[in-house]
Each structure stands twice: as structure tokens, then as C-alpha cells.
Amino acid sequence: MERFCKFGKLHAIKGNGHKLLSILLTASKELEDVDNCFCYIVGQDENDLDAVYVYEVWEDKEAHKQSLDLPAVKKLITSAMPILDMSKMESYPDLTIYGGKASF
């Protein structure tokens, strides 16, 4: 079964990496009960604590798009925007996932 995957690097304004990490971990909790979200993993670069990576697996591209309209997700995006360094943002190609494992 195919799944849709987003993977990206968000970069906080210097000194705000832990705050950004906290916001994205909150997002992961908000998505726990979203049935078409199969994986939302947040990690931090130990060599650059202002860099936070997010790996998401969704039922399909539309499910991801719809998640951006969830009130809790909108609120978290709004709270993250002021601390993001947009000049250092990196996005990787969207992927089609054909298999693997994700759990915590």
C-alpha cells in the first residue's frame, strides 16, 4: 500500500531550537488521533540545536493537506512562525512510501 511522505528541516532563529522542538513535539501529540497520519517523527541535529527535522507519513497527499486545516495544527504553525529562520529552511522531495516500519 502506497503512502505519502514529507521530510523537512526547519531552522529556528539562533537560540530558539528547543522552543521549536517543543512546538513540533506538541504537533506530534495533536496528530496521535488522526487516523490518516501514520508517522510524525521529530528530531534535532545534535551539531546544530536550532535545526529540527520532521518526518511525516500520511495516507495520501490530500490527507497531509487537510491536516494543515486542523485548528490545533494552525495554532502551532502560528506559534512557530515568529521563531523560524526562513532563509535556512530545507525541504526534501515528497516521497511515495512502499513499505517499512514506524512505531514508538
Side-chain angles (χ1 to χ4, degrees):
M1 193 178 294
E2 295 177 13
R3 301 288 185 225
F4 175 73
C5 174
K6 295 284 291 179
F7 179 53
K9 174 184 175 185
L10 291 86
H11 209 278
I13 295 170
K14 187 162 181 67
N16 285 284
H18 289 293
K19 184 174 182 179
L20 180 58
L21 177 64
S22 177
I23 290 168
L24 294 170
L25 287 172
T26 299
S28 72
K29 296 288 184 207
E30 293 290 338
L31 294 170
E32 283 181 1
D33 293 329
V34 175
D35 291 336
N36 54 13
C37 177
F38 301 105
C39 178
Y40 190 95
I41 297 174
V42 180
Q44 194 169 34
D45 183 346
E46 65 184 43
N47 296 309
D48 180 1
L49 295 178
D50 290 321
V52 182
Y53 295 79
V54 180
Y55 183 82
E56 308 172 54
V57 178
W58 294 86
E59 184 174 357
D60 53 32
K61 193 176 227 176
E62 185 61 27
H64 173 262
K65 183 180 173 188
Q66 290 174 356
S67 75
L68 300 175
D69 290 328
L70 296 171
V73 172
K74 282 184 171 184
K75 182 179 176 183
L76 291 165
I77 291 170
T78 300
S79 64
M81 290 304 290
I83 63 167
L84 289 176
D85 184 346
M86 300 304 279
S87 70
K88 294 184 178 179
M89 300 287 281
E90 292 183 41
S91 185
Y92 304 100
D94 294 343
L95 301 175
T96 300
I97 302 297
Y98 296 99
K101 180 180 181 198
S103 66
F104 271 87

